[in-house]
Each structure stands twice: as structure tokens, then as C-alpha cells.
Amino acid sequence: MRVVIAGGHGKIAKLLERELAGRGDTAVGLIRNPEHAAALRAAGAEPVVCDLEHTDVDTLAAHLDGADAVVFAAGAGPGSGADRKDTVDRGAAVLLADAAVRAGVRRYLLVSSMGVDNPPAPDTDDVWAAYLKAKKAAEDDVTGRDLDVTVLRPGRLTDDEPAGRITLARPVTPGAVSRADVARVLLALLDAPDTAGHTVELVAGDTPIAQAVAGM
């Protein structure tokens, strides 16, 4: 399997890249900073420099040539303002969908966030509100395409060791989940094409990952 991952230098992306490489699949990580290429190679991935805020659909589609799936795991990240929440968390996800359609890559996994179904409370921080709105807008746009999309909404992310047991449903009680378990759920979703068309929330729980994915 050849999987192209947007946001290839992110924590979840690098964990997924290691999982894919470890079983003999090919992970391609899209990065905007060439200095991150060595870290991707160390994770077993092929780095491709492509700034999703400053590229076009044809260029991006060329990078998807031969891919079996794409994963959107990019984000504007801490310290970014409301404008970049829109250009990355929404705009880049939509661009990846456009490119996937252009390249004929049907499978698309979108890493979103819990809490996007309801409008932000009036006292919500402006940047966090922009983030939630951008994630929901990305979901609405991408799931409206002629693609096989699964939307994964993790809870609060931690750097804990993987537990291998989760709660995967919609809705779930808000909680935390390790980035390592998110990566393993993404891997399981890639192996389960019948999960396309589903939007699910993810927190730590009691169900083994394979069983939780099979029960979607």
C-alpha cells in the first residue's frame, strides 16, 4: 500500500509512517520545510516538499500518483492565528481532496477533532473557535466529494504510550487518547475500506482497536 500523508512531519503522521514502514508499506510524507526530510526518512517515509498553502491542485495531484490512499493529518499548529486555521485546517484539506479526485485516489482519511458538531460557545477563544469552524468546514467539504472518506475525530491528544484499547463511536464522552493509538486506528482504517462514509470520535477505552474498527 502506498499512502500519502499531508502534514508528514506532525507527531501523528510520523507515528503512522513508522507503522506503515514497519509492515512493508510505503509512506510518503508531504512537508513544507525541507529541513524535516531527515526526520521522515528516519521514520521510514519518503519526504516530499510541498507547501499546501502555496501549491496548486495539479502539482499536488502529481505527488499523489500511484497512491492507494491519502491521509490528512496536517494542522496550523500551536501559536498560529485564526487565518492559518482556515488556510491549513480547512483549505489544505480541501485542496488534498481536489488533488485526490484529480489523481484518481479514492480513499481519504481526514483527521478532524471532537467538538466540531456544535457552534463554539460565545466565550470561546477566537483562535480555538476558528479551529473548530475550520475542521467542520473541512469535514463538510471533503465528505461531499466522490471519494471514500472516513473522518476520525480524536479527543484530547497525549504523548502517552499506546494502550491498544479505545472507544470509537459517535458520539463518545469527551476524553483523551494517545497519538500513538490515533496512528494505529488510522492504520486499521486504511485496512478497512468498508469504513468509508463514517465519521467517528475516538478516545481511550476498553475495546481493542481491531475490534472497534470492525464494529463501525
Side-chain angles (χ1 to χ4, degrees):
M1 183 184 298
R2 183 177 180 86
V3 181
V4 179
I5 304 168
H9 189 253
K11 291 182 178 181
I12 291 172
K14 284 188 289 185
L15 289 163
L16 177 58
E17 288 157 6
R18 289 186 185 278
E19 294 281 350
L20 287 163
R23 68 179 199 177
D25 290 323
T26 299
V28 179
L30 302 179
I31 54 176
R32 66 189 181 98
N33 186 346
E35 294 180 0
H36 293 161
L40 265 69
R41 294 189 186 98
E46 297 178 5
V48 171
V49 178
C50 180
D51 186 343
L52 296 178
E53 292 179 275
H54 299 96
T55 191
D56 59 69
V57 65
D58 289 328
T59 300
L60 183 53
H63 293 313
L64 306 186
D65 185 49
D68 298 291
V70 297
V71 178
F72 186 82
S80 58
D83 289 346
R84 290 201 68 228
K85 300 304 184 191
D86 182 69
T87 57
V88 179
D89 292 277
R90 182 202 59 80
V94 170
L95 180 64
L96 183 64
D98 288 337
V101 171
R102 185 75 55 90
V105 181
R106 293 200 55 84
R107 192 71 171 111
Y108 188 123
L109 302 188
L110 174 63
V111 180
S112 186
S113 173
M114 289 182 65
V116 303
D117 275 331
N118 300 313
D123 59 347
T124 302
D125 173 80
D126 288 347
V127 175
W128 182 249
Y131 170 79
L132 294 175
K133 290 177 181 177
K135 285 296 189 186
K136 186 61 167 67
E139 288 188 13
D140 291 344
D141 191 299
V142 172
T143 57
R145 307 303 181 92
D146 184 21
L147 294 169
D148 298 329
V149 181
T150 303
V151 178
L152 182 65
R153 297 174 173 175
R156 180 174 55 83
L157 297 169
T158 75
D159 290 322
D160 294 341
E161 292 296 313
R165 292 179 176 272
I166 59 170
T167 297
L168 188 67
R170 182 183 178 191
V172 301
T173 302
V177 63
S178 72
R179 290 178 173 86
D181 279 325
V182 175
R184 291 183 178 186
V185 170
L186 289 170
L187 188 71
L189 291 171
L190 286 168
D191 290 337
D194 57 343
T195 60
H198 291 265
T199 296
V200 286
E201 298 177 347
L202 168 64
V203 294
D206 299 320
T207 306
I209 289 174
Q211 182 181 335
V213 170
M216 284 176 58

